[in-house]
Amino acid sequence: MARPKSQQHDIKRDEILDVAAQCFADRSYPAASMNDIAAACGASKARLYHYYESKEAILFDLLDRYTQRLLALIAQAEATAQRRNLDDRAALHELVRAFLQEYETSATRHVALLNDTKFLGPAQRELVLDRQRDVVSAVTRFLRRAYPQRLQAGNQTAVTMMLFGMINWTFTWLRPGGAMSYAAFAEEVIAMLEHGLKG
């Protein structure tokens, strides 16, 4: 009979995922090895295999959890909008704030999502890609409700991708503790949605 998993098991997995995401971001997924991840964890390779059978298993768990987190943020934003009786634009603004608050602490996970999904096996890759599509569809719904005259059938994808273009690449230039905070940048994105560059 298998031993029951301890509460520490998930805590340790979270720590491993944090370290692995950093290794993948620093070295690239193909270049990072199980030895690299184990060394960065301060553990033996055998101890790492106690939690994950392969580097691909680590990557999948990382992306599986992260995409679930993004979908949870959307659900939370919708619940908050209902609870606070926000109009559609205010609901979208809350979603933008929620995404950027998440991105502030999950840059390495976001890098893995953007760069490393292709290294998963077909079934796992499709699951992660389906979740990404669900995120895009949900954001399109928020945008369509917020700006019904602006979003039409022919431009929905372009406008949604424009919004993601503003927020998804912050890990390349926006630094916690830098000249602009993630919260301040969220307000700039919202101002751009509302007014463009006219002020």
Side-chain angles (χ1 to χ4, degrees):
M1 181 193 312
R3 287 187 314 174
K5 292 181 182 176
S6 71
Q7 189 175 8
Q8 292 297 314
H9 192 78
D10 283 337
I11 294 170
K12 188 64 177 175
R13 280 181 178 265
D14 287 342
E15 293 168 5
I16 291 167
L17 294 178
D18 285 341
V19 170
Q22 190 65 57
C23 286
F24 299 157
D26 290 345
R27 294 178 176 84
S28 82
Y29 174 78
S33 68
M34 289 291 273
N35 278 334
D36 294 328
I37 297 167
C41 286
S44 68
K45 191 173 170 183
R47 186 74 178 148
L48 187 60
Y49 278 112
H50 172 73
Y51 293 97
Y52 289 103
E53 64 190 24
S54 66
K55 185 174 70 167
E56 185 178 309
I58 293 174
L59 178 64
F60 176 67
D61 196 22
L62 179 75
L63 298 181
D64 181 48
R65 291 180 188 216
Y66 186 57
T67 52
Q68 286 185 61
R69 173 69 184 143
L70 295 178
L71 289 170
L73 287 176
I74 291 165
Q76 288 168 9
E78 289 176 332
T80 298
Q82 288 183 345
R83 188 177 66 253
R84 293 173 48 197
N85 199 26
L86 299 178
D87 67 29
D88 292 329
R89 286 191 182 183
L92 174 63
H93 300 167
E94 285 303 306
L95 182 62
V96 168
R97 291 182 185 109
F99 270 117
L100 284 164
Q101 183 179 13
E102 175 65 28
Y103 290 175
E104 184 172 8
T105 58
S106 61
T108 55
R109 282 169 165 72
H110 202 70
V111 171
L113 182 61
L114 294 173
N115 296 334
D116 301 331
T117 303
K118 63 190 172 200
F119 297 113
L120 294 172
Q124 292 178 334
R125 183 172 58 245
E126 197 55 36
L127 186 149
V128 170
L129 291 174
D130 279 345
R131 289 214 189 110
Q132 285 183 284
R133 287 187 278 268
D134 289 344
V135 169
V136 171
S137 294
V139 172
T140 300
R141 286 194 307 274
F142 271 79
L143 280 163
R144 197 169 48 236
R145 290 192 303 248
Y147 305 104
Q149 285 77 35
R150 182 71 179 87
L151 265 75
Q152 304 299 322
N155 72 352
Q156 289 182 25
T157 299
V159 173
T160 303
M161 290 301 118
M162 184 170 59
L163 174 56
F164 278 121
M166 284 192 282
I167 66 173
N168 272 5
W169 298 93
T170 49
F171 70 86
T172 65
W173 65 273
L174 189 58
R175 299 286 176 259
M180 176 176 277
S181 69
Y182 275 75
F185 180 66
E187 299 311 312
E188 290 293 336
V189 172
I190 291 164
M192 183 73 77
L193 288 170
E194 287 292 305
H195 310 294
L197 289 174
K198 293 183 291 188

